[in-house]
Amino acid sequence: MEKERYNHLNTYLKNKFGERTLKICIDGGFTCPNRDGKISKNGCIFCSEKGSGEHIKSQNITNQITNHFNSYKAKRANKFIAYFQNFTNTYDSIENLKEKYDSSLIDNRIVALAIATRPDCINEEVCKLLSSYKNKVDVWVELGLQTSNDEIGKIINRGYNSSTFTQAVKLLNKYNIEIITHLMVGLPNESFDDLKNTVEFINKHDIQGIKIHSTYVIENTVLCKMYKNVSYTPITLDYYIETASYILTHINPKIIIHKISGDAPKDLLVAPSWNLHKKWIINGIDKYLREHDLWQGKYYISY
């Protein structure tokens, strides 16, 4: 059997926890400073009305966990990650954050707490709270970056600059909290040089994981309006395979690859249609790496 050409998350989890480990996606009832008016009311131009949590049934957090363990999904593994996914999951008072996180850690089969958030919603108090869970479970924080180009950041209405990301990483590093960052390929006005610069930028940070995915268009977003008035054109599958392979070969070889394709809601996806075919994407990247004898970090440069 051929050795994996990049650090697959499933392999990492199996090695770390001794067996298959799966995520329980949680809707924590959060909002976002990019939606409630603190920064903006429009959100990022690609973000859906549910903050990328369309498949999660909103209800009490403990009930979400209980219902998961009462369903067939609990039979697929013995260990799980409580994953606060949609919107900004550190954007609340410390008291409310603690209550919500505590509400998810109700079963000893949960071995990790994963929190998706924004760099501008990380501070010392949040880090102290997250760090307090480390004696019970592994703790990860997912930080959106998407791109290191702050001009593109303005176009996508991200609401923070790259220096804010750097500050958040340093603070999380101080508390030894694992960081996963998001990199998106095919953002409006993005060139290949922009992508190369983003990879270089990430490599200058102490990051433990990365999610790589293409930019896709879903209904009821600003990006959808741009697509329909022909001011935005999605990338092709071939381009994504080539650029994802570039990222893998230039990223730090120690980083865990949490994702190499996006999971757009099928009923809301507008374009590109190839995004629905996850096997095309994953198999296409694997084939490209094999045919060109490439592997993660082959061209990595340490900074």
Side-chain angles (χ1 to χ4, degrees):
M1 186 174 179
E2 186 183 27
K3 182 181 177 181
E4 293 179 343
R5 290 183 176 264
Y6 58 91
N7 298 326
H8 290 246
L9 175 63
N10 288 341
T11 302
Y12 168 77
L13 293 175
K14 188 172 182 179
N15 290 337
K16 185 175 184 64
F17 298 116
E19 59 185 294
R20 189 183 194 203
T21 306
L22 299 177
K23 288 181 180 178
I24 303 173
C25 295
I26 300 167
D27 182 344
F30 291 93
T31 182
C32 176
N34 207 12
R35 284 181 175 271
D36 70 359
K38 182 177 180 180
I39 294 174
S40 167
K41 291 186 177 180
N42 300 318
C44 296
I45 65 171
F46 49 76
C47 192
S48 66
E49 293 178 344
K50 286 197 172 184
S52 301
E54 279 74 15
H55 63 290
I56 308 172
K57 294 181 179 179
S58 299
Q59 52 188 281
N60 173 280
I61 294 171
T62 297
N63 287 347
Q64 291 179 58
I65 300 295
T66 301
N67 289 342
H68 183 94
F69 283 126
N70 288 337
S71 73
Y72 73 92
K73 296 177 182 178
K75 294 179 173 59
R76 297 170 59 206
N78 294 312
K79 294 182 178 179
F80 298 87
I81 300 161
Y83 176 38
F84 285 80
Q85 179 180 4
N86 49 325
F87 294 119
T88 305
N89 296 276
T90 59
Y91 186 51
D92 208 334
S93 69
I94 293 298
E95 294 74 21
N96 286 345
L97 292 177
K98 185 177 188 309
E99 181 181 351
K100 290 180 178 184
Y101 301 157
D102 287 350
S103 296
S104 72
L105 301 176
I106 60 169
D107 192 293
N108 59 16
R109 286 172 287 182
I110 295 175
V111 294
L113 175 66
I115 308 293
T117 189
R118 295 164 53 92
D120 54 355
C121 292
I122 293 293
N123 57 43
E124 196 92 30
E125 292 303 307
V126 166
C127 288
K128 286 180 180 177
L129 173 63
L130 292 173
S131 183
S132 71
Y133 291 99
K134 288 169 57 182
N135 62 351
K136 183 178 181 181
V137 293
D138 275 34
V139 179
W140 307 342
V141 169
E142 289 191 8
L143 289 180
L145 174 66
Q146 285 67 263
T147 177
S148 64
N149 185 320
D150 287 338
E151 291 305 310
I152 295 176
K154 291 176 183 176
I155 293 172
I156 64 176
N157 198 43
R158 188 175 61 181
Y160 54 85
N161 56 31
S162 297
S163 63
T164 304
F165 176 87
T166 298
Q167 292 166 10
V169 168
K170 288 179 178 178
L171 196 51
L172 290 163
N173 288 161
K174 175 183 173 182
Y175 286 87
N176 295 313
I177 296 170
E178 291 191 28
I179 303 165
I180 298 100
T181 191
H182 291 230
L183 190 161
M184 290 179 69
V185 178
L187 292 167
N189 288 17
E190 180 187 73
S191 68
F192 188 70
D193 281 343
D194 291 323
L195 186 72
K196 291 166 65 176
N197 291 337
T198 298
V199 174
E200 182 178 319
F201 178 80
I202 291 172
N203 280 336
K204 292 178 179 178
H205 294 75
D206 186 2
I207 300 290
Q208 288 67 54
I210 189 171
K211 286 186 172 182
I212 307 163
H213 54 90
S214 64
T215 303
Y216 51 78
V217 182
I218 58 177
E219 289 285 2
N220 304 316
T221 61
V222 174
L223 190 61
C224 183
K225 293 178 182 177
M226 293 172 64
Y227 171 74
K228 289 181 177 178
N229 67 25
V230 201
S231 61
Y232 173 72
T233 302
I235 59 173
T236 64
L237 175 58
D238 286 345
Y239 179 79
Y240 180 68
I241 288 172
E242 290 178 12
T243 51
S245 299
Y246 175 90
I247 295 166
L248 290 171
T249 55
H250 288 76
I251 204 73
N252 188 324
K254 294 181 180 179
I255 286 177
I256 305 303
I257 310 303
H258 284 241
K259 180 177 286 190
I260 56 170
S261 69
D263 298 313
K266 295 180 180 180
D267 56 334
L268 295 178
L269 181 70
V270 176
S273 59
W274 57 261
N275 182 268
L276 294 176
H277 302 281
K278 197 166 185 174
K279 286 187 177 180
W280 291 3
I281 302 168
I282 295 173
N283 292 343
I285 293 171
D286 286 342
K287 181 182 178 183
Y288 188 93
L289 294 175
R290 286 196 312 273
E291 289 181 346
H292 295 83
D293 194 25
L294 302 172
W295 58 87
Q296 182 179 341
K298 182 175 182 177
Y299 302 118
Y300 167 67
I301 299 174
S302 178
Y303 294 94

